[in-house]
C-alpha cells in the first residue's frame, strides 16, 4: 500500500507540474476563453515567450492579481488598487521594461551577461529623443522585440535574430506614409536587399554580414556622423580603415564634407567592389573629384592600368590552366599559385585605400610575379599536353610498324 | 660450353620446349575466344609492372597517400603515364575477365575434364574484383573514400558475422587511415600471393589439358585444323597484346586518369555517387529491391542472392550434367543470357537513373 500511495502522489505531482504555467494564472484562464480575438491574442504565443518561460507572467507588466481564485472575479483580478494598468501607453513602455532590464541585481538571476544599459542607450537614440519630445510614432521596445512572444536574439524566429533585423526595421522605415513627417528616405531596405551585405545575410545566410544594427547600433540607434563612418565600416574592414586614416584622402574628404567610405562605396546599397571603380574610365569614382591632368588623376590612371593588367594576367593563367586540366594534366600546383595570385589581387584592391601610387605599386609588384608564375605553370602544363601527344604519336607509329611486321610474319607462316 | 647447355644439362628444359612444340591449338569459327585468356594475362602483367613502379613512390597513409599520387602525377618522370596505364589497365582487365568468363561459359568449356580450370578461373575473377576494390581506395580521394564507405557497408548486411567482417575490412568502425593501410596490404601482398598460386594452377592445367573445343565440334576434333602453340599461336597473341598496348598508351595520353580531390571524412557524401562500373549492377540491385520483402530486409536478401549466385556460378561444371555428357545444355545458356542482360541493363540504369 505504501508503494501505491507513493505512486499516486507522484502522478498527482506530475500533473500538477505539467499543468503549471498557462492554467495557474487568472489572466490567462480568462483571456484564453475570450471570444474577442484582441483579448485572446496575447495568450496564443505565450509558450514561446522568454518572460513567460522564466515565470514572469502578465501581472508583472500589467499589474493586477493573477491568482487563479479570481478567474471568475474580473474586478478583483484587474483592480487598480492592485496596480492594474491594462494596456500600457506606448510612451511608457521603455520605462516599464527598464524597471527590470536596468536592474543589474535582478537581471543577474536570469543572465549575468545581459547588458542593463538598454534604457540609457535608448534615451540617446533618435527614437528615444523623439519619444521624450512626445512623438509616440517612434519605435519603442515592443516594436522591435514583440509583445507577448518575445524571444532572445539567438532564436531563429525572433524579430531581432540577425537575419530578421532588416525586416523588423523596415516595417517602419520602408513605410513612406508612416515616415513622411521625418524627411528621410524609405528605400534603405530595398537597397540593402540588393547590396553585397544584404545578399550575404539574407540569401547566403552569412550571419557575419552586417544588418542595420551593425552600423547604426540597436538601442542607441543613430545615423553615424560624416567623420565617424570609417569607425563603423572599420569594425570589420580593419586594414582598409587604417590605410584610409593615414591617406591624403582623410583630410581632403573632411574639408569637402564627404562621408569617408560612403563617398565611394555608398551605404545601404553597397555593391561588390568592381575594377572599374579605380582608374579614369567612365565608371571610375576617382574622376568625380580629380580633374584630367591633375596629380591625383594621373595616379588614378596608373593604378587603374596596373590593376587591370594584373587582372588580365590572372585571367590568362586561369585560361591556360583550365585548358591543360581539360586535356587531363594534373594542375593542382598551378591552381595553388593561381589562388595566391588572386589573393595578391585582393590585397592590391585593398591597398587602393592608401590613395598613394607608390604604396599601391609596392603591393602590386609581388602580385605580378605570382600571376606570371601561374601563367608559366599553365604554359608548362600545355607543353606537357603537347609532349604527351608527340610521344603517343611516336609510340603509335612504332607499335603500328611492329604489328604490321608481325601480321606479315604470321601470314607467311600460315602459308608455309 | 654454351650457357644454355649448362642449364639443359641440369634441368629438364628440353622436355618443356618439346612439350610446347608438340602443343597445338584447334582452329574453328570460335577460335577467337581462345585469345581472351592471353589478353587478360597481358593486362595482368601490365598491372604487375606498373604497380611495382607506383610502389616506389606511393605512401599508404591517410596523410600522405593523396599527396604521393599527386607527386607521382606531377613530379615523377612519366609518373602520370604509369599511373594512368595502371588505372586504365585495371578497368580493361576487369572487362576482359568478364568477356573471357562468359565466352568460356557459353562455349561450355567448363565441362569435364576442365571443372577445376573453371573454378580456379572464377576464383581469379573474384580476386581481381578484390584488387579493383582495394586499389580504388589507395589514391585516397573523395570518390574512392565514399565508394569504399558504401561498399564496405554492404558487408554489414551479412547475417551474424557482418559486423565483424566490416570491422575487419575497415580496421575499425569507420573508413579511416587504418582502412587505407589495410587495403594497401591486401592490394600489394595478400591478393598477389593468392593470385600467383591460383594463376599458376590455372595456366598449368590449361597447358596440360589443352584448349577445349565447343560441344558440337567435339566429335570432329581430330579433323580440325591445328595451329602450333609455339610460335604461331603465341605470335597471334602478341599481335593482340601490341594492339592492347597501343590502346592503353592512347587512353593514358589522351584521357589521363583523374585524381580528384583529397578525401575528407567530415564532408557529406556527394550526390550522385556510384561505385566502379563493375560493381554498379550490384549497387543498382540494392536500390531496386524494396526495403522489406515479407519479413526479410531487402538489402539482406540481395546479399544472400548474390552469395547464392556466386556459389551457383562457381559450381556450374558440376551442375551442368548435360554438357558433361556432350549434349548442349540450353538451360544454362538461357541462364547465362539472362545474367548478361541483367548486368548490362542494371549497369546502364545505375548511370542513367539519377540517385
Amino acid at each position: 500500500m505504501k508503494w501505491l500511495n507513493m505512486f499516486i502522489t507522484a502522478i498527482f505531482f506530475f500533473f500538477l507540474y505539467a499543468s503549471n504555467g498557462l492554467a495557474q494564472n487568472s489572466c490567462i484562464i480568462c483571456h484564453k476563453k475570450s471570444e474577442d480575438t484582441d483579448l485572446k491574442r496575447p495568450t496564443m504565443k505565450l509558450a514561446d515567450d522568454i518572460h513567460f518561460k522564466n515565470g514572469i507572467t502578465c501581472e508583472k507588466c500589467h499589474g493586477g492579481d493573477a491568482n487563479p481564485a479570481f478567474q471568475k472575479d474580473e474586478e478583483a483580478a484587474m483592480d487598480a488598487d492592485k496596480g492594474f494598468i491594462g494596456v500600457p501607453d506606448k510612451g511608457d513602455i521603455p520605462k516599464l521594461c527598464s524597471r527590470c532590464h536596468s536592474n543589474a541585481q535582478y537581471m543577474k538571476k536570469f543572465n549575468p551577461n545581459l547588458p542593463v544599459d538598454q534604457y540609457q542607450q535608448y534615451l540617446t537614440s533618435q527614437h528615444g529623443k523623439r519619444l521624450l519630445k512626445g512623438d509616440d510614432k517612434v519605435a519603442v521596445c515592443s516594436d522591435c522585440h514583440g509583445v507577448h512572444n518575445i524571444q532572445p536574439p539567438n532564436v531563429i524566429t525572433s524579430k531581432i535574430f540577425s537575419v530578421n533585423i532588416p525586416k523588423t526595421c523596415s516595417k517602419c522605415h520602408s513605410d513612406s506614409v508612416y515616415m513622411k513627417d521625418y524627411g528621410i528616405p524609405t528605400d534603405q531596405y530595398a537597397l540593402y536587399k540588393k547590396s553585397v551585405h544584404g545578399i550575404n545575410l539574407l540569401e547566403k545566410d552569412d550571419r557575419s554580414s552586417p544588418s542595420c544594427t551593425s552600423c547604426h547600433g540597436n538601442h542607441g540607434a543613430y545615423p553615424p556622423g560624416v567623420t565617424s563612418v570609417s569607425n563603423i565600416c572599420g569594425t570589420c574592414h580593419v586594414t582598409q580603415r587604417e590605410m584610409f586614416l593615414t591617406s591624403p584622402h582623410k583630410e581632403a574628404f573632411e574639408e569637402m564634407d564627404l562621408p569617408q567610405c560612403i563617398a565611394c562605396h555608398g551605404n545601404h546599397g553597397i555593391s561588390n567592389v568592381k575594377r572599374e571603380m579605380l582608374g579614369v574610365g567612365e565608371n571610375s569614382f576617382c574622376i568625380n573629384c580629380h580633374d584630367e591632368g591633375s596629380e591625383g588623376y594621373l595616379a588614378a590612371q596608373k593604378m587603374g592600368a596596373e590593376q587591370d593588367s594584373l587582372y588580365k594576367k590572372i585571367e590568362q593563367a586561369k585560361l591556360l590552366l583550365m585548358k591543360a586540366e581539360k586535356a587531363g594534366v594534373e594542375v593542382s600546383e598551378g591552381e595553388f599559385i593561381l589562388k595566391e595570385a588572386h589573393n595578391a589581387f585582393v590585397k592590391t584592391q585593398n591597398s587602393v585605400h592608401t590613395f598613394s601610387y607608390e604604396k599601391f605599386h609596392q603591393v602590386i609588384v609581388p602580385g605580378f610575379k605570382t600571376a606570371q608564375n601561374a601563367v608559366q605553370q599553365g604554359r608548362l602544363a600545355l607543353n606537357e599536353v603537347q609532349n604527351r601527344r608527340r610521344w603517343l604519336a611516336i609510340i603509335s607509329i612504332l607499335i603500328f610498324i611492329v604489328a604490321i611486321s608481325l601480321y606479315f610474319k604470321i601470314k607467311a607462316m600460315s602459308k608455309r | 660450353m654454351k650457357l644454355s647447355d649448362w642449364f639443359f644439362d641440369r634441368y629438364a628444359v628440353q622436355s618443356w620446349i618439346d612439350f610446347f612444340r608438340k602443343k597445338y591449338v584447334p582452329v574453328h569459327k570460335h577460335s577467337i575466344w581462345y585469345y581472351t585468356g592471353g589478353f587478360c594475362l597481358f593486362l595482368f602483367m601490365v598491372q604487375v609492372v606498373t604497380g611495382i613502379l607506383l610502389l616506389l613512390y606511393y605512401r599508404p597513409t591517410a596523410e600522405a597517400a593523396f599527396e604521393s599520387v599527386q607527386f607521382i602525377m606531377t613530379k615523377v618522370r612519366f609518373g602520370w603515364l604509369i599511373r594512368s596505364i595502371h588505372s586504365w589497365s585495371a578497368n580493361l582487365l576487369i572487362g576482359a575477365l568478364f568477356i573471357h568468363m562468359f565466352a568460356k561459359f557459353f562455349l561450355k568449356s567448363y565441362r569435364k575434364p576442365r571443372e577445376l580450370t573453371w573454378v580456379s578461373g572464377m576464383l581469379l575473377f573474384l580476386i581481381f574484383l578484390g584488387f579493383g576494390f582495394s586499389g580504388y581506395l589507395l589514391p585516397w580521394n573523395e570518390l574512392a573514400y565514399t565508394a569504399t564507405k558504401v561498399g564496405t557497408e554492404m558487408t554489414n548486411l551479412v547475417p551474424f558475422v557482418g559486423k565483424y567482417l566490416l570491422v575487419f575490412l575497415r580496421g575499425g568502425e569507420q573508413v579511416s587511415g587504418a582502412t587505407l593501410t589495410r587495403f594497401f596490404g591486401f592490394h600489394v601482398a595478400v591478393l598477389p600471393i593468392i593470385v600467383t598460386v591460383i594463376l599458376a594452377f590455372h595456366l598449368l592445367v590449361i597447358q596440360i589439358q589443352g584448349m577445349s573445343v565447343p560441344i558440337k565440334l567435339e566429335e570432329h576434333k581430330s579433323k580440325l585444323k591445328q595451329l602450333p602453340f609455339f610460335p604461331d599461336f603465341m605470335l597471334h597473341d602478341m599481335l593482340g597484346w601490341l594492339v592492347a598496348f597501343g590502346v592503353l598508351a592512347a587512353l593514358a595520353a589522351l584521357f589521363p586518369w583523374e585524381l580528384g580531390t583529397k578525401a575528407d571524412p567530415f564532408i557529406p557524401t556527394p550526390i550522385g555517387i556510384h561505385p566502379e562500373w563493375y560493381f554498379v549492377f550490384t549497387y543498382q540491385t540494392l536500390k531496386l529491391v524494396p526495403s522489406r520483402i515479407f519479413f526479410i530486409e531487402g538489402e539482406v536478401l540481395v546479399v544472400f542472392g548474390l552469395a547464392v549466385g556466386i556459389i551457383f556460378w562457381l559450381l556450374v561444371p558440376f551442375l551442368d550434367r548435360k554438357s558433361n555428357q556432350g549434349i548442349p545444355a540450353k538451360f544454362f545458356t538461357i541462364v547465362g543470357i539472362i545474367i548478361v542482360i541483367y548486368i548490362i541493363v542494371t549497369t546502364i540504369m545505375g548511370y542513367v537513373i539519377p540517385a
Side-chain angles (χ1 to χ4, degrees), chain A residues 389-406:
Chain A
R389 291 190 176 154
R390 220 168 284 139
W391 274 104
L392 175 65
I394 295 167
I395 289 199
S396 300
I397 292 167
L398 283 176
I399 289 174
F400 182 73
I401 294 168
V402 176
I404 289 288
S405 320
L406 203 57

mmCIF file with all atom_site columns, all heavy atoms in Angstrom, chain A residues 389-406:
data_model
loop_
_atom_site.group_PDB
_atom_site.id
_atom_site.type_symbol
_atom_site.label_atom_id
_atom_site.label_alt_id
_atom_site.label_comp_id
_atom_site.label_asym_id
_atom_site.label_entity_id
_atom_site.label_seq_id
_atom_site.pdbx_PDB_ins_code
_atom_site.Cartn_x
_atom_site.Cartn_y
_atom_site.Cartn_z
_atom_site.occupancy
_atom_site.B_iso_or_equiv
_atom_site.pdbx_formal_charge
_atom_site.auth_seq_id
_atom_site.auth_comp_id
_atom_site.auth_asym_id
_atom_site.auth_atom_id
_atom_site.pdbx_PDB_model_num
ATOM 1   N N   . ARG A 1 389 ? 51.225 14.072  -76.480 1.00 0.00 ? 389 ARG A N   1
ATOM 2   C CA  . ARG A 1 389 ? 50.666 13.711  -77.794 1.00 0.00 ? 389 ARG A CA  1
ATOM 3   C C   . ARG A 1 389 ? 51.775 13.317  -78.759 1.00 0.00 ? 389 ARG A C   1
ATOM 4   O O   . ARG A 1 389 ? 51.618 12.404  -79.555 1.00 0.00 ? 389 ARG A O   1
ATOM 5   C CB  . ARG A 1 389 ? 49.832 14.864  -78.336 1.00 0.00 ? 389 ARG A CB  1
ATOM 6   C CG  . ARG A 1 389 ? 48.585 14.998  -77.483 1.00 0.00 ? 389 ARG A CG  1
ATOM 7   C CD  . ARG A 1 389 ? 47.567 15.915  -78.023 1.00 0.00 ? 389 ARG A CD  1
ATOM 8   N NE  . ARG A 1 389 ? 46.399 15.866  -77.137 1.00 0.00 ? 389 ARG A NE  1
ATOM 9   C CZ  . ARG A 1 389 ? 45.536 16.824  -76.987 1.00 0.00 ? 389 ARG A CZ  1
ATOM 10  N NH1 . ARG A 1 389 ? 45.669 17.919  -77.668 1.00 0.00 ? 389 ARG A NH1 1
ATOM 11  N NH2 . ARG A 1 389 ? 44.501 16.692  -76.166 1.00 0.00 ? 389 ARG A NH2 1
ATOM 12  N N   . ARG A 1 390 ? 52.909 14.056  -78.659 1.00 0.00 ? 390 ARG A N   1
ATOM 13  C CA  . ARG A 1 390 ? 54.051 13.750  -79.538 1.00 0.00 ? 390 ARG A CA  1
ATOM 14  C C   . ARG A 1 390 ? 54.544 12.323  -79.253 1.00 0.00 ? 390 ARG A C   1
ATOM 15  O O   . ARG A 1 390 ? 54.751 11.526  -80.147 1.00 0.00 ? 390 ARG A O   1
ATOM 16  C CB  . ARG A 1 390 ? 55.170 14.761  -79.268 1.00 0.00 ? 390 ARG A CB  1
ATOM 17  C CG  . ARG A 1 390 ? 55.870 15.199  -80.542 1.00 0.00 ? 390 ARG A CG  1
ATOM 18  C CD  . ARG A 1 390 ? 56.744 16.404  -80.267 1.00 0.00 ? 390 ARG A CD  1
ATOM 19  N NE  . ARG A 1 390 ? 55.981 17.624  -80.124 1.00 0.00 ? 390 ARG A NE  1
ATOM 20  C CZ  . ARG A 1 390 ? 56.219 18.573  -79.218 1.00 0.00 ? 390 ARG A CZ  1
ATOM 21  N NH1 . ARG A 1 390 ? 57.191 18.438  -78.346 1.00 0.00 ? 390 ARG A NH1 1
ATOM 22  N NH2 . ARG A 1 390 ? 55.479 19.642  -79.164 1.00 0.00 ? 390 ARG A NH2 1
ATOM 23  N N   . TRP A 1 391 ? 54.728 12.028  -77.966 1.00 0.00 ? 391 TRP A N   1
ATOM 24  C CA  . TRP A 1 391 ? 55.197 10.693  -77.572 1.00 0.00 ? 391 TRP A CA  1
ATOM 25  C C   . TRP A 1 391 ? 54.205 9.607   -77.998 1.00 0.00 ? 391 TRP A C   1
ATOM 26  O O   . TRP A 1 391 ? 54.590 8.544   -78.446 1.00 0.00 ? 391 TRP A O   1
ATOM 27  C CB  . TRP A 1 391 ? 55.389 10.629  -76.053 1.00 0.00 ? 391 TRP A CB  1
ATOM 28  C CG  . TRP A 1 391 ? 56.735 11.114  -75.648 1.00 0.00 ? 391 TRP A CG  1
ATOM 29  C CD1 . TRP A 1 391 ? 57.049 12.309  -75.088 1.00 0.00 ? 391 TRP A CD1 1
ATOM 30  C CD2 . TRP A 1 391 ? 57.972 10.409  -75.797 1.00 0.00 ? 391 TRP A CD2 1
ATOM 31  N NE1 . TRP A 1 391 ? 58.394 12.412  -74.884 1.00 0.00 ? 391 TRP A NE1 1
ATOM 32  C CE2 . TRP A 1 391 ? 58.994 11.255  -75.304 1.00 0.00 ? 391 TRP A CE2 1
ATOM 33  C CE3 . TRP A 1 391 ? 58.328 9.168   -76.305 1.00 0.00 ? 391 TRP A CE3 1
ATOM 34  C CZ2 . TRP A 1 391 ? 60.339 10.884  -75.300 1.00 0.00 ? 391 TRP A CZ2 1
ATOM 35  C CZ3 . TRP A 1 391 ? 59.666 8.793   -76.293 1.00 0.00 ? 391 TRP A CZ3 1
ATOM 36  C CH2 . TRP A 1 391 ? 60.649 9.646   -75.804 1.00 0.00 ? 391 TRP A CH2 1
ATOM 37  N N   . LEU A 1 392 ? 52.927 9.953   -77.835 1.00 0.00 ? 392 LEU A N   1
ATOM 38  C CA  . LEU A 1 392 ? 51.893 8.982   -78.223 1.00 0.00 ? 392 LEU A CA  1
ATOM 39  C C   . LEU A 1 392 ? 51.981 8.688   -79.712 1.00 0.00 ? 392 LEU A C   1
ATOM 40  O O   . LEU A 1 392 ? 51.891 7.528   -80.136 1.00 0.00 ? 392 LEU A O   1
ATOM 41  C CB  . LEU A 1 392 ? 50.504 9.534   -77.886 1.00 0.00 ? 392 LEU A CB  1
ATOM 42  C CG  . LEU A 1 392 ? 49.336 8.667   -78.344 1.00 0.00 ? 392 LEU A CG  1
ATOM 43  C CD1 . LEU A 1 392 ? 49.331 7.345   -77.601 1.00 0.00 ? 392 LEU A CD1 1
ATOM 44  C CD2 . LEU A 1 392 ? 48.007 9.371   -78.142 1.00 0.00 ? 392 LEU A CD2 1
ATOM 45  N N   . ALA A 1 393 ? 52.204 9.738   -80.503 1.00 0.00 ? 393 ALA A N   1
ATOM 46  C CA  . ALA A 1 393 ? 52.297 9.554   -81.950 1.00 0.00 ? 393 ALA A CA  1
ATOM 47  C C   . ALA A 1 393 ? 53.493 8.649   -82.293 1.00 0.00 ? 393 ALA A C   1
ATOM 48  O O   . ALA A 1 393 ? 53.366 7.707   -83.091 1.00 0.00 ? 393 ALA A O   1
ATOM 49  C CB  . ALA A 1 393 ? 52.442 10.907  -82.640 1.00 0.00 ? 393 ALA A CB  1
ATOM 50  N N   . ILE A 1 394 ? 54.646 8.934   -81.634 1.00 0.00 ? 394 ILE A N   1
ATOM 51  C CA  . ILE A 1 394 ? 55.854 8.133   -81.915 1.00 0.00 ? 394 ILE A CA  1
ATOM 52  C C   . ILE A 1 394 ? 55.612 6.670   -81.552 1.00 0.00 ? 394 ILE A C   1
ATOM 53  O O   . ILE A 1 394 ? 55.883 5.753   -82.330 1.00 0.00 ? 394 ILE A O   1
ATOM 54  C CB  . ILE A 1 394 ? 57.081 8.704   -81.146 1.00 0.00 ? 394 ILE A CB  1
ATOM 55  C CG1 . ILE A 1 394 ? 57.403 10.103  -81.683 1.00 0.00 ? 394 ILE A CG1 1
ATOM 56  C CG2 . ILE A 1 394 ? 58.281 7.783   -81.250 1.00 0.00 ? 394 ILE A CG2 1
ATOM 57  C CD1 . ILE A 1 394 ? 58.370 10.900  -80.826 1.00 0.00 ? 394 ILE A CD1 1
ATOM 58  N N   . ILE A 1 395 ? 55.061 6.467   -80.336 1.00 0.00 ? 395 ILE A N   1
ATOM 59  C CA  . ILE A 1 395 ? 54.835 5.090   -79.869 1.00 0.00 ? 395 ILE A CA  1
ATOM 60  C C   . ILE A 1 395 ? 53.810 4.388   -80.756 1.00 0.00 ? 395 ILE A C   1
ATOM 61  O O   . ILE A 1 395 ? 53.976 3.217   -81.101 1.00 0.00 ? 395 ILE A O   1
ATOM 62  C CB  . ILE A 1 395 ? 54.392 5.117   -78.384 1.00 0.00 ? 395 ILE A CB  1
ATOM 63  C CG1 . ILE A 1 395 ? 55.603 5.519   -77.565 1.00 0.00 ? 395 ILE A CG1 1
ATOM 64  C CG2 . ILE A 1 395 ? 53.831 3.766   -77.937 1.00 0.00 ? 395 ILE A CG2 1
ATOM 65  C CD1 . ILE A 1 395 ? 55.622 5.231   -76.137 1.00 0.00 ? 395 ILE A CD1 1
ATOM 66  N N   . SER A 1 396 ? 52.778 5.122   -81.161 1.00 0.00 ? 396 SER A N   1
ATOM 67  C CA  . SER A 1 396 ? 51.743 4.518   -82.015 1.00 0.00 ? 396 SER A CA  1
ATOM 68  C C   . SER A 1 396 ? 52.352 4.057   -83.337 1.00 0.00 ? 396 SER A C   1
ATOM 69  O O   . SER A 1 396 ? 52.041 2.972   -83.839 1.00 0.00 ? 396 SER A O   1
ATOM 70  C CB  . SER A 1 396 ? 50.627 5.514   -82.286 1.00 0.00 ? 396 SER A CB  1
ATOM 71  O OG  . SER A 1 396 ? 50.054 5.883   -81.084 1.00 0.00 ? 396 SER A OG  1
ATOM 72  N N   . ILE A 1 397 ? 53.232 4.909   -83.902 1.00 0.00 ? 397 ILE A N   1
ATOM 73  C CA  . ILE A 1 397 ? 53.874 4.533   -85.179 1.00 0.00 ? 397 ILE A CA  1
ATOM 74  C C   . ILE A 1 397 ? 54.719 3.263   -84.989 1.00 0.00 ? 397 ILE A C   1
ATOM 75  O O   . ILE A 1 397 ? 54.657 2.324   -85.779 1.00 0.00 ? 397 ILE A O   1
ATOM 76  C CB  . ILE A 1 397 ? 54.741 5.705   -85.716 1.00 0.00 ? 397 ILE A CB  1
ATOM 77  C CG1 . ILE A 1 397 ? 53.810 6.852   -86.141 1.00 0.00 ? 397 ILE A CG1 1
ATOM 78  C CG2 . ILE A 1 397 ? 55.608 5.265   -86.900 1.00 0.00 ? 397 ILE A CG2 1
ATOM 79  C CD1 . ILE A 1 397 ? 54.508 8.172   -86.384 1.00 0.00 ? 397 ILE A CD1 1
ATOM 80  N N   . LEU A 1 398 ? 55.490 3.255   -83.883 1.00 0.00 ? 398 LEU A N   1
ATOM 81  C CA  . LEU A 1 398 ? 56.341 2.082   -83.603 1.00 0.00 ? 398 LEU A CA  1
ATOM 82  C C   . LEU A 1 398 ? 55.484 0.824   -83.453 1.00 0.00 ? 398 LEU A C   1
ATOM 83  O O   . LEU A 1 398 ? 55.782 -0.231  -84.028 1.00 0.00 ? 398 LEU A O   1
ATOM 84  C CB  . LEU A 1 398 ? 57.146 2.311   -82.325 1.00 0.00 ? 398 LEU A CB  1
ATOM 85  C CG  . LEU A 1 398 ? 58.361 3.226   -82.455 1.00 0.00 ? 398 LEU A CG  1
ATOM 86  C CD1 . LEU A 1 398 ? 59.003 3.447   -81.097 1.00 0.00 ? 398 LEU A CD1 1
ATOM 87  C CD2 . LEU A 1 398 ? 59.384 2.618   -83.417 1.00 0.00 ? 398 LEU A CD2 1
ATOM 88  N N   . ILE A 1 399 ? 54.422 0.945   -82.673 1.00 0.00 ? 399 ILE A N   1
ATOM 89  C CA  . ILE A 1 399 ? 53.540 -0.207  -82.449 1.00 0.00 ? 399 ILE A CA  1
ATOM 90  C C   . ILE A 1 399 ? 52.940 -0.656  -83.766 1.00 0.00 ? 399 ILE A C   1
ATOM 91  O O   . ILE A 1 399 ? 52.874 -1.860  -84.074 1.00 0.00 ? 399 ILE A O   1
ATOM 92  C CB  . ILE A 1 399 ? 52.432 0.149   -81.428 1.00 0.00 ? 399 ILE A CB  1
ATOM 93  C CG1 . ILE A 1 399 ? 53.034 0.292   -80.036 1.00 0.00 ? 399 ILE A CG1 1
ATOM 94  C CG2 . ILE A 1 399 ? 51.331 -0.908  -81.405 1.00 0.00 ? 399 ILE A CG2 1
ATOM 95  C CD1 . ILE A 1 399 ? 52.078 0.780   -78.981 1.00 0.00 ? 399 ILE A CD1 1
ATOM 96  N N   . PHE A 1 400 ? 52.538 0.318   -84.575 1.00 0.00 ? 400 PHE A N   1
ATOM 97  C CA  . PHE A 1 400 ? 51.940 0.004   -85.872 1.00 0.00 ? 400 PHE A CA  1
ATOM 98  C C   . PHE A 1 400 ? 52.927 -0.770  -86.745 1.00 0.00 ? 400 PHE A C   1
ATOM 99  O O   . PHE A 1 400 ? 52.580 -1.784  -87.348 1.00 0.00 ? 400 PHE A O   1
ATOM 100 C CB  . PHE A 1 400 ? 51.506 1.313   -86.547 1.00 0.00 ? 400 PHE A CB  1
ATOM 101 C CG  . PHE A 1 400 ? 50.826 1.109   -87.868 1.00 0.00 ? 400 PHE A CG  1
ATOM 102 C CD1 . PHE A 1 400 ? 49.531 0.593   -87.915 1.00 0.00 ? 400 PHE A CD1 1
ATOM 103 C CD2 . PHE A 1 400 ? 51.473 1.414   -89.063 1.00 0.00 ? 400 PHE A CD2 1
ATOM 104 C CE1 . PHE A 1 400 ? 48.893 0.397   -89.134 1.00 0.00 ? 400 PHE A CE1 1
ATOM 105 C CE2 . PHE A 1 400 ? 50.850 1.211   -90.283 1.00 0.00 ? 400 PHE A CE2 1
ATOM 106 C CZ  . PHE A 1 400 ? 49.553 0.703   -90.320 1.00 0.00 ? 400 PHE A CZ  1
ATOM 107 N N   . ILE A 1 401 ? 54.191 -0.300  -86.780 1.00 0.00 ? 401 ILE A N   1
ATOM 108 C CA  . ILE A 1 401 ? 55.209 -0.972  -87.602 1.00 0.00 ? 401 ILE A CA  1
ATOM 109 C C   . ILE A 1 401 ? 55.416 -2.403  -87.117 1.00 0.00 ? 401 ILE A C   1
ATOM 110 O O   . ILE A 1 401 ? 55.411 -3.359  -87.894 1.00 0.00 ? 401 ILE A O   1
ATOM 111 C CB  . ILE A 1 401 ? 56.552 -0.180  -87.580 1.00 0.00 ? 401 ILE A CB  1
ATOM 112 C CG1 . ILE A 1 401 ? 56.351 1.168   -88.282 1.00 0.00 ? 401 ILE A CG1 1
ATOM 113 C CG2 . ILE A 1 401 ? 57.681 -0.964  -88.231 1.00 0.00 ? 401 ILE A CG2 1
ATOM 114 C CD1 . ILE A 1 401 ? 57.490 2.155   -88.085 1.00 0.00 ? 401 ILE A CD1 1
ATOM 115 N N   . VAL A 1 402 ? 55.574 -2.549  -85.783 1.00 0.00 ? 402 VAL A N   1
ATOM 116 C CA  . VAL A 1 402 ? 55.813 -3.897  -85.226 1.00 0.00 ? 402 VAL A CA  1
ATOM 117 C C   . VAL A 1 402 ? 54.594 -4.795  -85.502 1.00 0.00 ? 402 VAL A C   1
ATOM 118 O O   . VAL A 1 402 ? 54.736 -5.955  -85.902 1.00 0.00 ? 402 VAL A O   1
ATOM 119 C CB  . VAL A 1 402 ? 56.094 -3.813  -83.698 1.00 0.00 ? 402 VAL A CB  1
ATOM 120 C CG1 . VAL A 1 402 ? 56.253 -5.201  -83.111 1.00 0.00 ? 402 VAL A CG1 1
ATOM 121 C CG2 . VAL A 1 402 ? 57.340 -3.001  -83.442 1.00 0.00 ? 402 VAL A CG2 1
ATOM 122 N N   . ALA A 1 403 ? 53.380 -4.226  -85.323 1.00 0.00 ? 403 ALA A N   1
ATOM 123 C CA  . ALA A 1 403 ? 52.163 -5.024  -85.527 1.00 0.00 ? 403 ALA A CA  1
ATOM 124 C C   . ALA A 1 403 ? 52.054 -5.471  -86.982 1.00 0.00 ? 403 ALA A C   1
ATOM 125 O O   . ALA A 1 403 ? 51.715 -6.629  -87.258 1.00 0.00 ? 403 ALA A O   1
ATOM 126 C CB  . ALA A 1 403 ? 50.940 -4.212  -85.113 1.00 0.00 ? 403 ALA A CB  1
ATOM 127 N N   . ILE A 1 404 ? 52.350 -4.554  -87.915 1.00 0.00 ? 404 ILE A N   1
ATOM 128 C CA  . ILE A 1 404 ? 52.277 -4.897  -89.349 1.00 0.00 ? 404 ILE A CA  1
ATOM 129 C C   . ILE A 1 404 ? 53.296 -5.988  -89.680 1.00 0.00 ? 404 ILE A C   1
ATOM 130 O O   . ILE A 1 404 ? 52.981 -6.984  -90.365 1.00 0.00 ? 404 ILE A O   1
ATOM 131 C CB  . ILE A 1 404 ? 52.534 -3.629  -90.220 1.00 0.00 ? 404 ILE A CB  1
ATOM 132 C CG1 . ILE A 1 404 ? 51.337 -2.676  -90.112 1.00 0.00 ? 404 ILE A CG1 1
ATOM 133 C CG2 . ILE A 1 404 ? 52.823 -3.973  -91.672 1.00 0.00 ? 404 ILE A CG2 1
ATOM 134 C CD1 . ILE A 1 404 ? 50.081 -3.120  -90.829 1.00 0.00 ? 404 ILE A CD1 1
ATOM 135 N N   . SER A 1 405 ? 54.525 -5.825  -89.131 1.00 0.00 ? 405 SER A N   1
ATOM 136 C CA  . SER A 1 405 ? 55.571 -6.829  -89.384 1.00 0.00 ? 405 SER A CA  1
ATOM 137 C C   . SER A 1 405 ? 55.115 -8.184  -88.856 1.00 0.00 ? 405 SER A C   1
ATOM 138 O O   . SER A 1 405 ? 55.280 -9.217  -89.524 1.00 0.00 ? 405 SER A O   1
ATOM 139 C CB  . SER A 1 405 ? 56.885 -6.457  -88.698 1.00 0.00 ? 405 SER A CB  1
ATOM 140 O OG  . SER A 1 405 ? 57.100 -5.101  -88.804 1.00 0.00 ? 405 SER A OG  1
ATOM 141 N N   . LEU A 1 406 ? 54.559 -8.149  -87.651 1.00 0.00 ? 406 LEU A N   1
ATOM 142 C CA  . LEU A 1 406 ? 54.094 -9.384  -87.029 1.00 0.00 ? 406 LEU A CA  1
ATOM 143 C C   . LEU A 1 406 ? 52.985 -10.022 -87.873 1.00 0.00 ? 406 LEU A C   1
ATOM 144 O O   . LEU A 1 406 ? 52.950 -11.248 -88.067 1.00 0.00 ? 406 LEU A O   1
ATOM 145 C CB  . LEU A 1 406 ? 53.559 -9.054  -85.623 1.00 0.00 ? 406 LEU A CB  1
ATOM 146 C CG  . LEU A 1 406 ? 53.533 -10.180 -84.616 1.00 0.00 ? 406 LEU A CG  1
ATOM 147 C CD1 . LEU A 1 406 ? 54.903 -10.774 -84.425 1.00 0.00 ? 406 LEU A CD1 1
ATOM 148 C CD2 . LEU A 1 406 ? 53.004 -9.665  -83.281 1.00 0.00 ? 406 LEU A CD2 1
#
